[in-house]
Amino acid sequence: MLETARQWAIERFGLSLELRTKALRGDLLARNLDAAPVAESHAIHWTGDMTRDDALHVLLRECLEPIVGNASQIASGRHRPEHLHQMRVGLRRLRAGLRLLASEDDIALQALADGAGQLSRRLTAARDADAQAEAGWRLGMLAAWRVERPSAASEAPSTTPIDVAGLLLTPDIQGWMLALIGWLARPAATHAPEEAQGLALVHRHLAQWRAGTDKQVRRFDRLDVEGRHHLRRRLRRLRLAMELTFAVPGGEAGGKLSRKEIEARARQLARVHEAAQRLGALNDLEVGLSQAREQLALAMARGDVPAAAQAGFSLGWLRPRQKQALDKAAKAVKAVRLSGGGHAPKRARASKRRKPD
């Protein structure tokens, strides 16, 4: 039925998915509101008694509204920046969870994860524009410019509008979201208890992600702007994976988590989150610096002295703040310890404590 819907409704007649009910739209109209409330993407926690199918169902169910619900509002042509932000958070959470659950030969789940990643990347430019417009430091910079040059006109950097609604209404994106609903609508698999797949696989994937991230953490001082941005993305993915697996015991023996293990996981998760946040604040300033450099070059090429003066002021104002943000990010990143503790299986930790013969 879903395949028929894709062929006829989406490909032939150009219809789109809509999670906003008629009642909701009527209520918005009655209250003179142009947008539905943002569907937030909240943390998801799997548990040790879940099978792989259980975990997949929970992941799909919790990510559906933040992705497809917010997409419905954005596609209407009227939305707030937070609709796009939460949609991308939902896409990242979905992709991380699917990667944790999918084995190497699970082509269908890998394809669904790839679709989430591709959509998130296609929305990056629009989200970056929103983040720059909302950056807390921008108002301070413009206020400082007005004090420096009271008679000069202050201009925000011009950006080309991005048609996010048009992007979400394309057949390939609508088809992917329909596939997401199709996965959620599948009947539950019937397995004998001994045949049901557990969640041992997720810790193997998590260990690989931790190792890759740890390599970049250790060489943080040698990373350039692009390298720091890549590390931020790795930490963000790792945080989502750690949230998902927080209550899932590690190691082949399974069992229950001790209070000490739970506290260790919580501390490590907090450090990873803090490092990602600090790198995010740094990235916003570095994007602002890049824009200021481009504006200065364009203004000088045009011979626009006032615009060149403002761009030059922006560079001078942003550089020391970028340096401060880099120092804070370095401190937070170096506090992240991924080579042990947290989600490490009990056997691995015990072997480290054993003295050599």
Side-chain angles (χ1 to χ4, degrees):
M1 185 173 69
L2 288 170
E3 177 61 21
T4 302
R6 184 185 65 80
Q7 292 178 353
W8 285 80
I10 294 176
E11 295 184 0
R12 182 165 182 176
F13 296 107
L15 302 181
S16 61
L17 292 167
E18 174 64 88
L19 290 197
R20 298 175 305 158
T21 64
K22 185 182 293 185
L24 173 60
R25 285 179 284 169
D27 181 61
L28 293 174
L29 184 62
R31 292 191 291 157
N32 198 29
L33 298 175
D34 61 356
V38 175
E40 296 186 2
S41 179
H42 298 289
I44 302 170
H45 300 296
W46 293 328
T47 57
D49 59 347
M50 286 183 177
T51 65
R52 177 177 173 273
D53 288 340
D54 293 335
L56 177 59
H57 182 81
V58 169
L59 177 70
L60 296 171
R61 184 189 67 208
E62 296 301 317
C63 290
L64 180 66
E65 186 68 26
I67 295 174
V68 184
N70 285 323
S72 296
Q73 183 59 60
I74 297 169
S76 73
R78 295 181 179 181
H79 72 280
R80 296 191 294 276
E82 193 62 14
H83 284 99
L84 179 58
H85 179 216
Q86 290 299 322
M87 181 183 176
R88 292 190 74 236
V89 173
L91 285 166
R92 288 198 298 269
R93 181 164 278 124
L94 175 66
R95 186 187 184 205
L98 292 173
R99 293 292 191 204
L100 286 173
L101 294 171
S103 58
E104 292 183 1
D105 59 351
D106 197 337
I107 298 175
L109 271 191
Q110 295 282 7
L112 193 64
D114 288 343
Q118 291 168 12
L119 176 53
S120 182
R121 286 190 292 273
R122 292 172 71 177
L123 295 171
T124 297
R127 175 55 195 162
D128 285 349
D130 287 343
Q132 284 296 301
E134 295 179 323
W137 50 261
R138 189 169 294 281
L139 289 177
M141 184 176 69
L142 291 176
W145 169 246
R146 294 189 187 101
V147 172
E148 178 76 14
R149 299 283 182 90
S151 60
S154 57
E155 296 182 3
S158 58
T159 56
T160 303
I162 300 172
D163 184 11
V164 187
L167 168 64
L168 293 178
L169 290 173
T170 55
D172 58 328
I173 300 302
Q174 289 293 310
W176 178 83
M177 288 193 287
L178 189 63
L180 176 61
I181 294 174
W183 271 91
L184 188 58
R186 289 191 317 161
T190 55
H191 295 294
E194 63 275 9
E195 295 177 348
Q197 288 182 279
L199 295 180
L201 177 66
V202 303
H203 281 293
R204 291 201 294 272
H205 288 157
L206 181 60
Q208 293 171 359
W209 295 359
R210 287 161 60 93
T213 305
D214 191 49
K215 288 181 181 178
Q216 284 193 304
V217 166
R218 291 175 182 275
R219 57 190 297 270
F220 179 78
D221 292 335
R222 299 193 296 275
L223 297 179
D224 58 9
V225 173
E226 187 63 28
R228 290 192 292 267
H229 178 59
H230 188 59
L231 173 59
R232 175 193 171 215
R233 290 170 55 193
R234 279 181 175 261
L235 285 167
R236 201 165 53 187
R237 180 182 68 170
L238 184 62
R239 177 182 66 82
L240 294 173
M242 291 171 70
E243 285 177 353
L244 285 162
T245 60
F246 187 87
V248 180
E252 295 178 1
K256 293 184 178 181
L257 292 168
S258 68
R259 180 177 178 180
K260 186 176 180 180
E261 287 174 316
I262 292 173
E263 290 173 350
R265 289 188 178 193
R267 286 193 298 270
Q268 192 173 75
L269 178 57
R271 292 191 187 108
V272 170
H273 177 67
E274 175 68 11
Q277 290 290 98
R278 292 294 186 183
L279 285 172
L282 173 63
N283 182 70
D284 287 344
L285 287 164
E286 289 178 334
V287 171
L289 274 169
S290 177
Q291 289 182 348
R293 293 189 191 99
E294 292 177 4
Q295 291 157 18
L296 179 59
L298 288 172
M300 292 181 68
R302 295 195 307 262
D304 189 341
V305 176
Q310 185 178 354
F313 177 86
S314 298
L315 284 173
W317 193 90
L318 286 169
R319 280 191 185 114
R321 287 159 179 81
Q322 183 267 349
K323 177 64 170 62
Q324 292 172 359
L326 178 57
D327 292 341
K328 291 179 180 178
K331 183 178 179 181
V333 168
K334 290 172 183 178
V336 175
R337 300 181 184 90
L338 297 173
S339 56
H343 286 59
K346 292 182 181 179
R347 292 181 180 178
R349 291 202 299 274
S351 65
K352 290 182 180 180
R353 290 194 297 268
R354 190 180 301 127
K355 294 181 179 180
D357 296 333

